[in-house]
Amino acid sequence: HGSIMNGRNVKTKQSSSTRHPIISSSHSPLKMQPEKSSSNALRSAAKKYVVLMLMITRKTAAVIIESVFITGLLVIFSLASVLAAPFLLLRWYHVSHLVKFSTPEGSLSYYEYSILFIKIFLQMVCAGPLTILFFGRDPMSIVSMLQRTIRKIDSRVLRIRSPTHVVAGEKLITIPLRDGVETIATLYSPVEVLDATPYPRPVVLIRTPYGREDLKTWGTRFAERGYHLVCQDARGRFDSTGDFFPMQNEAADGADTIRWLEKQPWCNGNVGITGESYLGLAAWAAMRENVPALKAVVPIFAANDIHHVVFGRGTGETVHTELIFRWIYLVIHLMPRKPWGRLLSIPNFFLGTAKVLKDAYMHTPLDEVDTKFLCPDAGGPLSWLHDGFN
């Protein structure tokens, strides 16, 4: 109806009526012959029927295309699930501890039991469709081949020696600090004798406020080359107790951790510490108390003077509020939210694209930005941020 209200369209409709095979330009429609009127009605009905059939055909085609598309997605997801099954089972390997299972054939370690379970499961599955999917090969061998290829690429890219050990898995350990705070860490070790205490070796320590679970690649990389690696949650972060205050306790906590590691039977008395960004700052801080067991410090992408990070050089000692706000939003608000929080943390930190960050930059007074924008669900104001404001 809207198009008929246009003057040009009205003229087009009028001119088209003059070319109608039944209605002439010199006669009124009221003077049409009866037989011609019935013929016109028949044609109109036929036209409506054709239009209706076209609509039904189009709808049917749309439903068919949509069904094919959904079916294709289901097939893709099904294949992905089948391919992921061996990798999910291999997750057992990474959580294997020195646990024993009694069997008629004797005592089996947790690792041996897991491998046996995986092999039996894959033998059952390979009797079906997976045999065709893997071209008749054992999926376990393909997984092993992929892992070996990844390790070789990793060694060449990083220019490090090839792996010489198998990783025994992950083991949770509790590390006490001098004030009674207990921190949680994950120990990655090379396999020596599965039913014995891990062999004394050098220990590499990484201390992080970002969550130790993100350091599994580091753990595997060091353990495969004969080191124990300990990934520790900083106090007040994730599973560790206490209150988190950025950098304030890293020197003392790092020293306490190194002293504790030195006393463990699986440590040969040599401890190194490494990490990037804040983890590198924690590595720098661990040197302050001159613990004899600390033999190597490798900070990566980390300033040795945090004052210039917070205030900058040649800026008249102006605090970098933008950097601080981004870091708070990243660490306190986004990172604990898995898995989407960690994915969003990358663009939000480096690009500052989040709306809450832009709102925080423009808000006054500054001592309200944490509770209103950056981390409203933190349970209250951030004491260390307000300490800085004061």
Side-chain angles (χ1 to χ4, degrees):
H1 294 84
S3 62
I4 295 178
M5 297 301 293
N6 185 287
R8 185 176 58 183
N9 289 340
V10 171
K11 291 180 180 180
T12 303
K13 188 172 184 66
Q14 290 175 347
S15 62
S16 64
S17 66
T18 60
R19 297 191 299 270
H20 199 281
I22 299 176
I23 305 175
S24 66
S25 60
S26 60
H27 293 85
S28 171
L30 296 177
K31 297 181 181 181
M32 287 167 44
Q33 299 296 329
E35 61 273 17
K36 292 184 178 181
S37 177
S38 61
S39 176
N40 185 44
L42 190 61
R43 290 189 179 185
S44 177
K47 184 183 296 185
K48 290 180 179 180
Y49 176 79
V50 172
V51 172
L52 180 62
M53 292 303 296
L54 289 175
M55 290 178 61
I56 294 175
T57 304
R58 187 179 64 180
K59 292 289 185 183
T60 304
V63 171
I64 293 174
I65 293 174
E66 184 177 357
S67 301
V68 171
F69 178 75
I70 294 176
T71 304
L73 288 180
L74 290 175
V75 171
I76 292 173
F77 282 121
S78 299
L79 290 175
S81 301
V82 171
L83 292 172
F87 294 95
L88 294 177
L89 288 172
L90 283 176
R91 183 67 180 90
W92 283 56
Y93 169 81
H94 293 292
V95 297
S96 59
H97 302 158
L98 301 179
V99 180
K100 289 292 184 179
F101 293 88
S102 296
T103 66
E105 290 76 18
S107 180
L108 286 178
S109 69
Y110 190 92
Y111 166 75
E112 293 168 332
Y113 179 84
S114 303
I115 294 299
L116 180 62
F117 175 87
I118 293 173
K119 287 183 177 179
I120 294 174
F121 177 82
L122 291 178
Q123 286 173 1
M124 295 171 61
V125 175
C126 283
L130 269 186
T131 305
I132 301 175
L133 184 62
F134 287 99
F135 305 102
R137 298 186 62 180
D138 181 9
M140 189 68 184
S141 64
I142 294 182
V143 172
S144 300
M145 180 184 67
L146 290 175
Q147 289 182 335
R148 289 195 301 270
T149 303
I150 292 173
R151 289 190 181 99
K152 288 180 180 179
I153 295 175
D154 190 47
S155 300
R156 291 189 178 184
V157 171
L158 299 177
R159 296 181 180 179
I160 55 179
R161 58 187 171 91
S162 299
T164 54
H165 294 74
V166 177
V167 184
E170 304 172 16
K171 181 179 180 181
L172 292 182
I173 57 176
T174 302
I175 302 176
L177 305 178
R178 66 184 68 178
D179 57 355
V181 169
E182 292 186 341
T183 59
I184 303 300
T186 302
L187 170 64
Y188 299 86
S189 300
V191 169
E192 298 295 341
V193 182
L194 290 175
D195 59 351
T197 304
Y199 186 80
R201 288 183 171 276
V203 178
V204 177
L205 171 64
I206 300 179
R207 307 189 62 252
T208 175
Y210 302 143
R212 66 184 189 280
E213 293 183 1
D214 291 344
L215 300 172
K216 291 181 180 179
T217 303
W218 288 72
T220 302
R221 189 173 290 154
F222 276 95
E224 285 182 336
R225 289 160 179 84
Y227 295 89
H228 297 296
L229 185 114
V230 174
C231 301
Q232 179 189 31
D233 284 333
R235 71 159 63 211
R237 295 296 294 162
F238 295 89
D239 296 327
S240 295
T241 61
D243 297 322
F244 177 63
F245 195 114
M247 291 308 300
Q248 186 180 58
N249 302 296
E250 303 303 348
D253 292 355
D256 290 349
T257 301
I258 295 169
R259 293 189 182 100
W260 184 89
L261 292 173
E262 182 185 11
K263 298 176 182 178
Q264 303 311 303
W266 36 266
C267 176
N268 66 358
N270 298 315
V271 179
I273 186 169
T274 186
E276 56 187 337
S277 189
Y278 187 102
L279 287 61
L281 296 175
W284 279 117
M287 301 172 61
R288 181 175 297 174
E289 296 194 12
N290 296 318
V291 182
L294 182 60
K295 303 295 174 57
V297 181
V298 185
I300 304 170
F301 196 65
N304 61 354
D305 186 349
I306 196 172
H307 181 273
H308 293 302
V309 176
V310 178
F311 294 96
R313 299 175 185 269
T315 60
E317 298 298 299
T318 303
V319 67
H320 287 174
T321 53
E322 181 190 19
L323 174 63
I324 294 174
F325 287 2
R326 287 191 191 188
W327 193 83
I328 292 173
Y329 184 64
L330 167 82
V331 177
I332 308 300
H333 183 74
L334 288 180
M335 279 194 162
R337 287 156 176 77
K338 302 176 181 179
W340 303 113
R342 296 179 180 273
L343 295 176
L344 293 173
S345 64
I346 298 174
N348 281 319
F349 180 72
F350 290 103
L351 303 179
T353 55
K355 182 179 183 300
V356 292
L357 288 175
K358 298 175 182 177
D359 293 339
Y361 298 152
M362 303 301 294
H363 182 77
T364 54
L366 288 178
D367 60 3
E368 295 179 350
V369 295
D370 52 344
T371 55
K372 286 191 174 182
F373 301 103
L374 302 179
C375 47
D377 51 355
L382 300 177
S383 59
W384 49 271
L385 179 64
H386 290 262
D387 177 81
F389 285 143
N390 293 332

